Structures are given as C-alpha cells and as structure tokens.
Amino acid sequence: MAAYGGIDLGGTKIQTVVVDDARTVLGSARRPTPTSGGPADVAEAIVAATDEAVRAAGMQTSALAGVGVGSPGTIEGGTVTSARNLPDWQGGFALAETLERALDTRVALGNDVQVATDAEFQLGAGRPYKSLLGVFWGTGVGGGLVLDGKPWLGRGSAGEISHVVVQLGGARCTCGRRGCMEAYAGRAAMEAHARKEVAKGKRTDLFKLMEQRERTRLTSGIWARALEHGDELAVRLIDRAIAALGAGVASVVNVLDVECVILGGGLGVRFGEEYAGRLAAAMQPHLFADFRPPDVHVAALGDFGGAIGATLLVEPARAPASAAAA
Ligand SMILES: [Zn+2]
C-alpha cells in the first residue's frame, strides 16, 4: 500500500491529510495559516502540519510516496508567486524544493481551487458528470472547471469566477477593480463590510462571537452561529452574498452550460445543503436556459476536499493500482 500526503494551503488554514491508494484518510491535521512573517514561515507551518497528520496515521514522513500541495497564487514548476491571501508572498518562492528538503519526499504543486475541483470530479459529488463548475465560497470565491471530462485551465487563469462583475461600478474588490462577485460574497469582503457598518454604529454579535472564540477573523463557524441567532447584520450580508453568487454563477453557467455546480469552500461546506438550495434559487432568475438549470450539490469531500485533491497531483486516483505499487 502506498500512502500520500496532501496539503490544502488556504488563506485561513493549512489542512493536511495522509491517504492510501483508495484516498481513504488515514490521518489529518489542521493549523491556522501564519498571518505574519513570509513564505518561509508558511512552509514551516506546512511541515509541522504534515508531521502531525503523518503521526496521526501512525507513520513516518519517509513512508510517504509523495506529497501534493494545493496552493493559491501562480504555480510555475515548483515555485509559487503572488499568493495574495498569504503573508508577504508577492514574489516567487521555491515551495516544492523547500518542502522536499524538510519532508524528505517528492512534492508536487497545483492550484488550490483546481485540485479541489478535480477531487470532487474524480472522487466526490461530481462523479456522475462530465462537466462541472466548482464554486469555493470561503475567504474569497474560487472557481474550478471540468469540461468534457477534463480540467479546463485556459491559458492558466481559467475559473476566476471571483472577478465576474455582478455590479457595474460596484463595491471595491481586493483585485483593485469594482463590482466583482468576491467583493460581495467573499468572507474577507463581508468581514470588512461588517467592520465598516459597526464603525457607523450598526449593532451585531459577529465581533463579540469572534472574541469569545478567541479568533482574529470572522470564521465560517462565527457566521453560522450569528445566522442561527438571527443577527440582523449577518443575515443581511449573507443575503447579499447569496444574491451576488446567484448572479455570478448563473452568468458562468449561461456561457458554459455545465451539468453541475458544486458548492465547496469554508462557508459553502459549513452552510451545506440548505445553501446549495439557496444558491440554486438565486441563480434561477439569471439563467437563460431556465428550463434546464444545472444540478447544485455541496462538495462531498467537505473540508478535506482540497487536501485529498492535492494527493492526486502525486498519483491520479484512476491509474491502475499495479502501476503505482511497483
Ligand atoms: Zn475582483
């Protein structure tokens, strides 16, 4: 039996798993992504989280046949450039080489959103389909595509649904443009908006919950809790996010006519089926072929999807087991 390590490097957390050939999770670990320092500090946190997952699996890192990393930013060979959700990571950093030295195994890098989409396509909610759009609703809003059974990367930048314009001249986005879907629906944008509203005197329990839980950000769990309480500002911002997602995702579906939309990401997974239904309803008025909407499912691999997907960079799940075992 071969074992593989998978790492989902996110803006909020580093999720690691150790899996076997069948992608059964043998061990896992999760750490917050460092909010200060630089790429070397992030690499150190990745190594610590990997060690922890390996120990949880009752193994040693040297037993891993390889480690895959799903990373934000631009991936070229073993280098990650301009990962803007990570601390001080504008330039290039040789992440693969750094990790290979520390973990003593081979390391493959891929785009975080694309590996999570591939995981759902090969192993999760996307298995019955030949075309799908992955919508990863978290710190930002990531998108991944599978068309006619193959990942579609375009010239390297495909799937950037975050910056689909849902409001001309609208809210300022982290990308510097205006009216992008992410400027309404991204967790970071919603948090910034909530802070502004509080500064204007609006009342909300969001930041009280954040302090109680000793967090520095409004995590998906905090949003979920505030919604349960019927917190007025939280409800309004989430309604606004769903409306933006509905318009943006429907616009993409109008162009590509995919069979299925898979809702993942920290918020998507946390909110689950009810919100997959809300997304489908918010999309409906914007769909041109409204008589045949795509199926909308929650990501079946949940929080582990990105990390399990990263293991596919080392060895595809559909390859014959005999080829891998030799
Ligand atoms: Zn943008």
Side-chain angles (χ1 to χ4, degrees):
M1 182 205 77
Y4 307 97
I7 294 151
D8 181 14
L9 175 53
T12 312
K13 65 180 193 318
I14 297 167
Q15 175 72 57
T16 60
V17 295
V18 172
V19 300
D20 62 14
D21 291 311
R23 264 61 192 184
T24 305
V25 176
L26 307 173
S28 69
R30 176 194 280 203
R31 304 203 160 203
T33 306
T35 50
S36 57
D41 299 278
V42 174
E44 214 170 279
I46 290 174
V47 171
T50 307
D51 282 340
E52 200 181 325
V54 167
R55 273 200 307 277
M59 299 168 62
Q60 293 182 326
T61 37
S62 56
L64 295 177
V67 169
V69 184
S71 171
T74 307
I75 319 290
E76 277 167 315
T79 302
V80 178
T81 310
S82 52
R84 59 187 176 84
N85 283 331
L86 300 177
D88 196 26
W89 200 316
Q90 282 79 38
F93 180 76
L95 183 63
E97 195 191 321
T98 307
L99 294 179
E100 276 177 356
R101 245 185 285 126
L103 297 170
D104 193 26
T105 186
R106 103 190 132 95
V107 173
L109 304 185
N111 174 270
D112 54 350
V113 175
Q114 194 58 48
V115 301
T117 302
D118 289 347
E120 288 298 327
F121 174 64
Q122 293 188 42
L123 305 163
R127 274 186 302 175
Y129 306 98
K130 285 191 78 183
S131 62
L132 61 86
L133 171 68
V135 176
F136 296 90
W137 184 22
T139 308
V141 183
L145 282 166
V146 173
L147 299 177
D148 201 18
K150 291 191 254 341
W152 177 259
L153 304 169
R155 291 173 295 167
S157 307
E160 281 292 349
I161 58 169
S162 24
H163 308 287
V164 167
V165 175
V166 294
Q167 179 80 55
L168 286 176
R172 178 75 74 184
C173 181
T174 49
C175 73
R177 297 170 187 83
R178 283 189 179 277
C180 302
M181 181 163 78
E182 185 170 303
Y184 297 90
R187 197 192 51 72
M190 289 194 294
E191 178 172 334
H193 194 90
R195 283 186 197 280
K196 265 192 212 155
E197 294 286 294
V198 167
K200 280 194 255 166
K202 276 268 168 1
R203 299 178 63 151
T204 174
D205 284 340
L206 281 165
F207 297 101
K208 228 175 283 168
L209 288 165
M210 187 181 87
E211 274 165 36
Q212 277 169 15
R213 295 182 180 205
E214 296 178 3
R215 299 301 180 98
T216 53
R217 298 178 257 222
L218 297 181
T219 60
S220 53
I222 292 170
W223 282 100
R225 190 82 186 135
L227 291 177
E228 278 167 27
H229 289 179
D231 184 278
E232 209 177 296
L233 182 65
V235 168
R236 187 157 57 79
L237 289 180
I238 294 290
D239 285 353
R240 187 173 175 255
I242 289 285
L245 286 169
V249 174
S251 298
V252 175
V253 170
N254 285 342
V255 175
L256 299 171
D257 197 19
V258 289
E259 295 163 271
C260 167
V261 171
I262 293 177
L263 179 62
L267 288 167
V269 168
R270 167 74 63 160
F271 291 160
E273 286 302 335
E274 185 195 341
Y275 276 72
R278 286 192 66 187
L279 173 60
M283 286 164 60
Q284 192 62 31
H286 303 289
L287 288 174
F288 181 70
D290 55 2
F291 54 91
R292 196 182 53 205
D295 296 341
V296 181
H297 295 297
V298 178
L301 304 173
D303 273 348
F304 286 166
I308 293 172
T311 69
L312 300 171
L313 296 166
V314 185
E315 187 71 42
R318 280 170 183 172
S322 56

